[in-house]
Amino acid sequence: VYTSHLECFCGLTARVGGIAEVLHASCMMSKEFPLQIWAGDFNTLGHGIARITPRFCTDGLRWRTFGHTEPEWLLKHVFSFGTKDGKINPLLHPFHRWFPAPTSYVDRHARNPGFLDPFHPRYDYTLKNHAGFYQGKLDWTLIMGFTPLNKELGNNDFSQSDHKWMKIKVRVAADSEKDLWREFAAIRKSTQWNYSVKIITSSCFFLS
């Protein structure tokens, strides 16, 4: 089990670096521990009105991910590329010029050994503020070697915390389900965000 609380006063590139470190550690341990959970507050907030302030969006990707929330961008460029897809993640290459040097470490290790997050990257938001003008999925519950059966968000009125809590019900994945994460990652090819597992979404628009 991994737990992370990533920095919020930085840019997306710094968080990609932190994510790459955990993915590398997970990959090294995946043969010995094929069942893994990675959860925490990733502070994936670099979108919406947060782009306005360099206090939170401090790097060159501040405006260059426009059209995606940060969780959507991470799913498309990091978590959709598996360790068996290649030794280098080419999905990050178009953004190299805005990454702190060197980028070789991130290229090698920002590869997914099999994690999936059953929560929707945009609509399953866990933080909402500024009178509803900002919302984001800052919290993640990633599972590997498990099949998600149900998911739930709580504290929807934010009365107990400024974040919602997340809960999932899982079972150990059958051999035929080992690559289920790819079905979730395949949403990068769809503008409709259709999961193979039913996800309840709401119809609303926010600056991304």
Side-chain angles (χ1 to χ4, degrees), residues 14-193:
R15 283 187 286 275
V16 171
I19 289 169
E21 289 186 29
V22 180
L23 289 176
H24 176 51
S26 169
C27 182
M28 297 292 289
M29 302 294 288
S30 60
K31 288 186 178 180
E32 185 178 0
F33 299 102
L35 304 178
Q36 298 187 23
I37 299 173
W38 180 16
D41 180 358
F42 289 14
N43 274 315
T44 44
L45 52 76
H47 57 265
I49 61 173
R51 297 183 193 273
I52 297 173
T53 171
R55 183 186 183 195
F56 294 109
C57 299
T58 64
D59 60 22
L61 296 186
R62 179 180 176 187
W63 299 107
R64 291 176 176 86
T65 60
F66 194 82
H68 294 85
T69 64
E70 185 171 325
E72 288 172 328
W73 190 93
L74 286 169
L75 280 174
K76 183 176 181 179
H77 295 93
V78 177
F79 289 105
S80 66
F81 191 83
T83 52
K84 296 180 180 179
D85 295 334
K87 295 183 178 180
I88 298 294
N89 182 351
L91 302 178
L92 296 174
H93 290 179
F95 305 94
H96 271 183
R97 62 181 295 187
W98 297 290
F99 271 77
T103 58
S104 58
Y105 180 90
V106 173
D107 284 349
R108 292 196 312 272
H109 301 310
R111 300 178 299 136
N112 187 359
F115 282 112
L116 70 84
D117 187 339
F119 292 92
H120 195 282
R122 178 183 290 257
Y123 299 116
D124 285 333
Y125 60 89
T126 60
L127 181 139
K128 183 177 181 179
N129 53 31
H130 292 85
F133 285 101
Y134 180 86
Q135 66 183 35
K137 180 183 178 295
L138 276 64
D139 304 277
W140 294 63
T141 305
L142 294 153
I143 55 177
M144 183 166 63
F146 297 97
T147 296
L149 302 177
N150 191 24
K151 68 183 181 69
E152 184 179 354
L153 291 171
N155 187 38
N156 292 315
D157 61 357
F158 299 99
S159 61
Q160 302 171 31
S161 169
D162 60 338
H163 288 240
K164 295 182 181 182
W165 53 255
M166 313 174 83
K167 181 172 70 174
I168 59 174
K169 182 178 180 180
V170 302
R171 63 170 169 79
V172 176
D175 289 341
S176 61
E177 299 170 321
K178 295 300 184 182
D179 285 334
L180 182 63
W181 71 272
R182 291 190 180 276
E183 297 183 33
F184 282 76
I187 61 173
R188 73 187 189 277
K189 298 179 181 178
S190 170
T191 58
Q192 300 300 316
W193 297 101

